[in-house]
Amino acid sequence: MAASQLSVVAGEFVSEKEEAAFRLAKLPEALRQARLLLILSACLNTLFLASDWRFEGTPHFFVAVPARLAVVAISLICWAMLTRMRDCAGLQLVLGLWQVVTAVGVAVLVSSHSEIALFVVLMLPLIYYLVLPVPFRHRVTAGAGASVLMLIGFLGPDWNGSTALGLAFAVLILNSALILVVIQTNRLRRLEWAATESQRATNHPHRRHRDRPDVRRRRRRNSCSRLTAVSQSSSKRAAEFAVAPPVWKYPITLATPRCSVSCIIARSATP
């Protein structure tokens, strides 16, 4: 596949038909990865409920626990929906729903301004960019939106830190680097897939022709005709055998201690 057929910005195929074929070929792996991500999200956020319990007795406790439970619930709901999903559009819709609810819930959680919250501010956009199997525009939109929500939640009006501008620049640099990584990954994956498809077409030049419905029907008719001809030939031979049974001649050598006698025995197959 020539490099000119890939988008310079997104690293995806310029042709919508080729891009759809690529996504369809990668759909089973994308579904497996998405289900694994969602079930891990539900399990890990359930474990983090123990960490949120340290806010017991403070106003943040009644904010953190419901937000955490919402993230767990949306992860399980989306995982259940993906068990019946068989198309790319449905996969993107379900993952988009999970991204929105998770980003809002985590933005509420990082309002505690703890060290773990600062780690999550940088970690969630990274997951949105690199882990989720969605198109480039969805990755960028979700990643940038999550970064903005994380900053709003972490740099809320109750926090008067002097590093707000530095953190904003750090998040901007992180998003820029992740976008470059996504573009490069998209290009490499599609070039590899295009080369594989080209090699497969070279090795099987008539494969597409053989798979056409009219060609398959013609092959079935020819097979039926050959079977009919073989059956008629077998019936004809059986009829000739019944009318004139053949005669077999067996050469037999009789060995005795003194001599060897060869004779021909004629045997008729007539009953």
Side-chain angles (χ1 to χ4, degrees):
M1 182 64 64
S4 60
Q5 294 181 280
L6 295 177
S7 172
V8 177
V9 177
E12 297 178 345
F13 287 115
V14 175
S15 172
E16 295 182 358
K17 183 178 180 180
E18 291 176 348
E19 183 66 21
F22 171 79
R23 295 194 178 281
L24 185 61
K26 300 296 182 180
L27 181 59
E29 182 64 21
L31 287 171
R32 187 198 67 81
Q33 181 178 350
R35 295 189 192 107
L36 182 59
L37 171 66
L38 293 175
I39 199 65
L40 285 176
S41 173
C43 294
L44 293 177
N45 280 283
T46 301
L47 293 177
F48 270 109
L49 281 173
S51 175
D52 295 335
W53 219 261
R54 70 183 186 274
F55 299 114
E56 185 180 8
T58 65
H60 188 71
F61 177 79
F62 300 100
V63 175
V65 173
R68 186 76 68 181
L69 291 176
V71 174
V72 174
I74 193 62
S75 299
L76 292 176
I77 291 173
C78 291
W79 176 80
M81 294 172 65
L82 284 184
T83 56
R84 302 181 180 86
M85 199 65 61
R86 295 295 182 271
D87 59 279
C88 298
L91 173 64
Q92 296 174 17
L93 181 62
V94 172
L95 290 180
L97 174 63
W98 178 81
Q99 287 174 312
V100 171
V101 177
T102 301
V104 173
V106 176
V108 173
L109 290 170
V110 299
S111 61
S112 63
H113 306 147
S114 63
E115 295 180 355
I116 298 178
L118 180 59
F119 172 75
V120 174
V121 168
L122 303 176
M123 180 58 65
L124 188 63
L126 190 147
I127 295 174
Y128 281 9
Y129 276 109
L130 301 182
V131 181
L132 291 176
V134 293
F136 176 79
R137 61 181 181 276
H138 292 179
R139 292 175 188 251
V140 175
T141 302
S147 298
V148 172
L149 287 176
M150 295 302 104
L151 286 176
I152 292 175
F154 192 79
L155 303 175
D158 298 333
W159 191 63
N160 297 320
S162 59
T163 59
L165 184 60
L167 181 59
F169 277 120
V171 171
L172 178 61
I173 294 172
L174 176 65
N175 278 262
S176 301
L178 291 175
I179 289 174
L180 293 177
V181 171
V182 170
I183 292 174
Q184 183 68 10
T185 303
N186 285 345
R187 291 181 62 85
L188 292 178
R189 292 184 63 197
R190 282 157 179 80
L191 288 173
E192 180 183 4
W193 178 81
T196 303
E197 291 297 313
S198 177
Q199 183 66 28
R200 186 177 302 171
T202 302
N203 295 337
H204 304 282
H206 303 296
R207 180 179 180 181
R208 186 174 300 178
H209 173 74
R210 292 198 307 266
D211 291 340
R212 287 170 45 188
D214 57 334
V215 176
R216 290 199 300 267
R217 287 193 297 269
R218 192 180 306 117
R219 288 204 306 268
R220 285 197 295 266
R221 288 195 299 268
N222 293 338
S223 299
C224 293
S225 300
R226 287 194 296 269
L227 289 175
T228 303
V230 171
S231 177
Q232 293 175 353
S233 177
S234 300
S235 301
K236 183 178 179 180
R237 291 179 182 178
E240 293 175 353
F241 180 84
V243 173
V247 176
W248 290 276
K249 294 183 178 181
Y250 302 93
I252 299 178
T253 301
L254 300 178
T256 62
R258 296 182 178 179
C259 63
S260 297
V261 180
S262 298
C263 64
I264 301 300
I265 299 176
R267 177 184 174 186
S268 174
T270 306

